[in-house]
Amino acid sequence: MLRGLTETGHDVTVVPTAAALEFVGTATWAALSGKPVASDVWTDVHRVPHVRIGQEADLVVVAPATADLVARAAHGLAHDLLTNTLLTARCPVVLAPAMHTEMWEHPATQANVATLRARGVLVLDPAEGRLTGADTGKGRLPDPAEIVEAARQVLARSQQAGVQDPADLAGRHVVVSAGGTREYLDPVRFLGNRSSGLQGYALARAAVARGARVTLVAANTALADPAGVTVRRVETTAQLREAVLAAAAGADAVVMAAAPADFRPASASNTKIKKSEDGSAPALELVQNPDILRELAAERLRAGQVVVGFAAETGDAQHDVLDLARAKLARKGCDLLVLNDVSGGAVFGSPDNEAVILAADGDTTSVPRGSKSVLAHRIWDQVASRLPR
């Protein structure tokens, strides 16, 4: 993680705890950061490091944040240089907890996390997976690259001109779907599409940086789990529908960035379909899949819920992409529709995107080509402005 920040041009000061130095020594931290490392309040005391470091920081990231550190931060204790830094910092603070599942789920830890979040600290939910020893569960440190991305987004948003509330989604629960579904013909073949999931994952990361609790329903993606996000993996449109509807019941906003298949085979073979000797192809009967976006918009599983859809359009002989998207917005009944012109395969798998955000109230927002992260934040801007206060 330290390399991820320094190699992207950030000036990083390492403040290790005594326990951290049992794993990695001061010399290593200094070599990787390119700066001297202070490990206690008595080093360079004439420079008052226990005050200066926090005052000068643009962002403080604690990773991993142990249960003990979370408790001390919540109660304002200052036993070492790191906790002193947390008390003096007036910049955004990001904590990435890592501990055993029982410790994370303990009422004391959850109360401490709630206290910190209420103060504006971004406490990332830990990942699920292998822990110390043979244990498996929630409590694993998120992927370091994903923590770096979360930190970069928080920093960028806090420094962005015109942003009055960088954590405008704090206390909100949002659901994002990503990727493309598969409809199986037999055990090895399926109908699918070219969706990579990159835009949905960018939406999830952006929402975390803005303070939201995020559930990501991912269909057939090969991407690392975003830090602080609860990920539910699915394959088929039916599974996507079930997972999204379940998560949406308690969500303030749902963004359907996934590309569900419109059709599925009427029946799937239990064995691999073989080639025929005469060269003929088997007939394929398709049936229509449920319209998840339309169902979400019609049922509104929570009062005031904002529903966002995506439209990947190419236009036809009679209509341009904007006409088709406006018709889709009216037909689906959602609050916002993000139009992507995918003529020639544009957008799919690319790190960049451009779009037009159409609103049910008639508002139109054009987002020029840029990173999918930029588009994600523009979408959340629109969502945040429509959420009930």
Side-chain angles (χ1 to χ4, degrees):
M1 195 182 80
L2 174 57
R3 278 183 173 156
L5 289 169
T6 56
E7 290 175 0
T8 51
H10 295 86
D11 180 16
V12 182
T13 297
V14 178
V15 183
T17 62
L21 294 177
E22 295 291 332
F23 293 90
V24 180
T26 301
T28 301
W29 290 122
L32 291 175
S33 66
K35 299 178 66 175
V37 173
S39 58
D40 59 70
V41 296
W42 306 110
T43 302
D44 289 334
V45 69
H46 64 287
R47 302 184 66 193
V48 199
H50 71 288
V51 173
R52 178 184 55 80
I53 294 174
Q55 288 178 332
E56 295 179 354
D58 295 308
L59 176 71
V60 175
V61 182
V62 182
T66 63
D68 177 69
L69 186 283
V70 169
R72 286 190 286 146
H75 288 83
L77 302 181
H79 292 169
D80 56 15
L81 184 57
L82 177 55
T83 47
N84 274 273
T85 298
L86 289 173
L87 280 179
T88 57
R90 295 299 179 265
C91 59
V93 175
V94 178
L95 302 185
M99 61 195 74
H100 272 74
T101 306
E102 294 82 359
M103 300 173 73
W104 171 252
E105 293 177 347
H106 194 283
T109 302
Q110 289 302 301
N112 291 332
V113 169
T115 296
L116 290 168
R117 286 173 172 167
R119 294 178 188 154
V121 176
L122 178 57
V123 183
L124 302 173
D125 275 0
E128 295 186 26
R130 183 72 177 267
L131 306 174
T132 304
D135 293 347
T136 299
K138 191 165 188 175
R140 183 182 178 89
L141 186 71
D143 184 283
E146 292 296 330
I147 299 175
V148 169
E149 182 57 32
R152 291 176 61 190
Q153 292 222 19
V154 170
L155 181 60
R157 183 158 172 79
S158 69
Q159 297 177 338
Q160 183 179 341
V163 175
Q164 296 181 347
D165 183 8
D168 57 358
L169 295 179
R172 306 286 192 176
H173 176 210
V174 303
V175 176
V176 178
S177 68
T181 61
R182 296 174 178 176
E183 305 298 338
Y184 284 89
L185 304 172
D186 62 24
V188 297
R189 300 185 182 92
F190 58 84
L191 298 176
N193 58 66
R194 296 180 61 187
S195 178
S196 64
L198 289 172
Q199 186 63 70
Y201 275 62
L203 281 157
R205 293 187 186 99
V208 167
R210 297 169 80 132
R213 179 166 65 90
V214 183
T215 300
L216 175 64
V217 182
N220 305 296
T221 64
L223 305 172
D225 292 353
V229 172
T230 298
V231 181
R232 300 286 180 258
R233 300 195 178 278
V234 299
E235 289 190 277
T236 67
T237 299
Q239 293 170 353
L240 178 70
R241 175 183 175 274
E242 181 181 1
V244 168
L245 291 179
D252 297 285
V254 184
V255 182
M256 283 293 295
D262 292 327
F263 304 96
R264 70 180 186 276
S267 62
S269 173
N270 292 324
T271 59
K272 181 180 176 181
I273 300 171
K274 304 297 192 294
K275 291 181 180 179
S276 63
E277 293 296 330
D278 60 7
S280 62
L284 181 59
E285 181 184 357
L286 300 177
V287 296
Q288 191 163 298
N289 271 323
D291 191 326
I292 306 171
L293 177 59
R294 190 170 185 175
E295 186 176 355
L296 282 167
E299 294 189 5
R300 303 286 172 166
L301 299 175
R302 181 171 180 172
Q305 187 176 78
V306 177
V307 178
V308 184
F310 272 68
E313 296 288 354
T314 60
D316 57 33
Q318 290 78 37
H319 308 91
D320 64 21
V321 291
L322 201 54
D323 292 332
L324 292 171
R326 287 192 174 115
K328 184 172 184 178
L329 174 63
R331 187 171 66 252
K332 301 290 188 180
C334 51
D335 301 289
L336 299 165
L337 189 74
V338 183
L339 167 63
N340 287 137
D341 185 342
V342 295
S343 302
V347 174
F348 292 118
S350 169
D352 296 331
N353 203 348
E354 60 182 309
V356 177
I357 306 172
L358 303 175
D361 58 16
D363 186 38
T364 299
T365 303
S366 295
V367 183
R369 191 164 191 83
S371 71
K372 288 184 173 177
S373 175
V374 168
L375 175 57
H377 280 288
R378 296 295 297 275
I379 294 169
W380 289 123
D381 288 343
Q382 296 290 324
V383 170
S385 69
R386 288 167 170 79
L387 288 170
R389 301 300 174 188

